[in-house]
Amino acid sequence: ALQSENALLTKDYPAAISAAREALSDHPDHARLRRLLGESFLRSAPTSGFTERDQIAAVAHLRRSVELDPGERWTRLMLAIASSSSGDLEEARRQHLEAIRLDPGAPAPREYYAFFLETSGRTAEALQAYEVALLVPGARFAYERFNALREEERKRRARAP
């Protein structure tokens, strides 16, 4: 698990995947290894030519990790992101909300939920969610996205007849 996690942290996704797979052969019900493998597939997407097979694997490993450790917020968040990227928006929404419920004081679940709403075209809800995320100390990107989205809305209204 540590080898996979270290490789994930250094963005060596093939090594992270390999280490997690190797360890899972001995420990198939290890929730953290399942999360690391699913997250490695997910994070490698922009650089690896993320295939439908990779998407399916990411969701499957993350879903299994949630089954094994249902109270782990980060896994829920990764499953929400993976579900969204695979087009399962209802599952993504459910997992985002569960991640927030599990750790209401953490900024990441709130920010990523707002971003999910934004990319789903639900601008008014996204603006509200970003506002809430801004109330949580440690928010990393909510301020920039909130302002950019507000500016886009202002320009859209200015163009409307």
Side-chain angles (χ1 to χ4, degrees), residues 23 44 48 50 94 157:
S44 72
S48 71
F50 197 52
R94 270 189 332 98
R157 278 190 230 118

Side-chain angles (χ1 to χ4, degrees), residues 10-14 17 40-51 54:
T10 61
K11 299 180 180 166
D12 185 353
Y13 305 120
I17 290 167
S40 296
F41 276 120
L42 186 61
R43 289 182 183 246
S44 72
T47 59
S48 71
F50 197 52
T51 65
D54 293 336

Side-chain angles (χ1 to χ4, degrees), residues 61-71 75-76 79 95:
H61 288 294
L62 291 164
R63 186 171 286 133
R64 181 66 180 131
S65 182
V66 164
E67 290 169 3
L68 294 166
D69 187 2
T75 304
R76 295 273 182 174
L79 179 54
Q95 295 302 331

Side-chain angles (χ1 to χ4, degrees), residues 1 18-28 33:
S18 177
R21 279 185 169 154
E22 184 178 331
L24 276 169
S25 67
D26 292 331
H27 307 283
L33 285 169

